[in-house]
Amino acid sequence: MRSSIVLSRGRSRLTVTGVLTGLLLTLSVPAAVPESGAVTPERGSAYMGMGVLAHDGIARGATADSLPDSRTGQTEGVDVSSYQRDVAWSTLYGSGVRWAYTKATEGTSYKNAYFTQQYTGSYDVGIVRGAYHFATPDTTGGAAQADYFVNHGGGWSADGRTLPGVLDIEWNPYGGDCYGKSKSQMVTWIRDFLNRYKARTGRAAVIYTATNWWTKCTGNYSGFSATNPLWIARYASTAGTLPAGWAYYTMWQYTSTGKTVGDHDRFNGSTTQLKTFASG
């Protein structure tokens, strides 16, 4: 068993380090998505990949160590939220992690209480860092959420060590998969967010999503592929089919059971290319 124990993945952000053999911990925690008779998670509790695991699952045999040899030339990263609390950034850097994203905001009412330790702490040990926003299109408009994100940690600077902000748009953990929006309404919401973020920061935001969600809730819309980098979520040995329009991914969240923190990712390039991407 890995030195990072995942607590039902719904609350996988809390990990326990140490070598344990033949021991399975089962804790009573809220589920990632509401099941029949289950309590809906509290607003603000969502995190990157929360719905991906629940809906797409993990491919058989896929682990943090099962990536193909083609991972050579890619750069290891992680994403974190309040579930990790204070993150052991020095440990992650020592294991080869060179970039990280921290959840900053959700909707227009939630701010990550651990944002400073996570966002600044990663930077202080030499990790290239960025911030992400968990979208809730059923609460407020895209432009309003982009403003809230930028105002609470989601900005960007051309210092070569700060990555552009990310719009985390995926399965709704609080209700209907597509947040009560039609495909055209969802595309409009996303466009409003992206346009405002670009106007506020000068950078095009990265879109984090899963192909199945994107197909279901946007109709596999291809119109953002020319301007916005893709961060694809798929827990498997390959990234699989990408949403329409994108010929390649910039980032790939490939596992929810990595070491030290659960979510591990790959940047599709070298550390030099990562810093170039950060610089804009």
Side-chain angles (χ1 to χ4, degrees):
M1 177 173 287
R2 297 190 175 281
S3 60
S4 174
I5 300 174
V6 177
L7 310 184
S8 84
R9 182 56 169 85
R11 293 284 180 173
S12 64
R13 305 334 205 191
L14 295 177
T15 59
V16 180
T17 58
V19 178
L20 299 175
T21 304
L23 174 63
L24 177 64
L25 285 182
T26 304
L27 300 183
S28 177
V29 294
V33 294
E35 300 175 354
S36 178
V39 176
T40 300
E42 180 183 358
R43 287 279 180 172
S45 65
Y47 52 81
M48 185 174 279
M50 185 175 190
V52 176
L53 184 74
H55 289 83
D56 288 350
I58 301 174
R60 184 182 297 276
T63 68
D65 296 323
S66 67
L67 287 175
D69 291 339
S70 61
R71 63 182 173 174
T72 302
Q74 296 188 338
T75 307
E76 186 77 4
V78 296
D79 57 272
V80 298
S81 68
S82 62
Y83 291 124
Q84 273 83 26
R85 300 188 179 184
D86 290 342
V87 176
W89 291 115
S90 295
T91 299
L92 285 165
Y93 188 88
S95 70
V97 169
R98 294 296 179 265
W99 60 280
Y101 269 94
T102 295
K103 180 182 177 181
T105 51
E106 179 178 328
T108 52
S109 60
Y110 172 83
K111 296 181 293 182
N112 177 7
Y114 293 88
F115 180 78
T116 299
Q117 191 279 342
Q118 295 175 350
Y119 188 73
T120 305
S122 55
Y123 184 92
D124 287 346
V125 301
I127 291 174
V128 181
R129 52 77 191 276
Y132 79 85
H133 174 80
F134 192 95
T136 56
D138 58 335
T139 59
T140 50
Q145 292 197 25
D147 280 333
Y148 189 77
F149 178 45
V150 173
N151 293 342
H152 297 94
W156 172 77
S157 59
D159 59 2
R161 295 182 61 190
T162 302
L163 294 159
V166 171
L167 172 63
D168 178 358
I169 186 79
E170 57 175 287
W171 308 99
N172 178 12
Y174 309 117
D177 292 340
C178 302
Y179 298 87
K181 294 194 175 296
S182 67
K183 295 178 177 65
S184 63
Q185 288 172 334
M186 183 63 74
V187 169
T188 297
W189 192 98
I190 294 170
R191 181 181 295 112
D192 288 346
F193 182 100
L194 298 176
N195 286 346
R196 182 61 64 88
Y197 187 84
K198 178 70 179 293
R200 289 286 306 272
T201 67
R203 275 304 294 268
V206 176
I207 296 175
Y208 167 96
T209 196
T211 299
N212 286 341
W213 182 91
W214 191 261
T215 300
K216 178 176 182 178
C217 296
T218 74
N220 209 16
Y221 181 74
S222 63
F224 302 125
S225 60
T227 54
N228 296 91
L230 173 67
W231 187 347
I232 192 67
R234 185 169 187 259
Y235 307 145
S237 59
T238 68
T241 302
L242 302 180
W246 282 282
Y248 61 90
Y249 61 84
T250 297
M251 302 165 186
W252 168 27
Q253 186 186 58
Y254 68 87
T255 186
S256 61
T257 57
K259 297 178 180 179
T260 306
V261 299
D263 288 353
H264 277 243
D265 311 89
R266 289 276 168 175
F267 175 80
N268 199 5
S270 66
T271 54
T272 298
Q273 291 170 313
L274 172 69
K275 292 175 181 178
T276 299
F277 177 68
S279 299

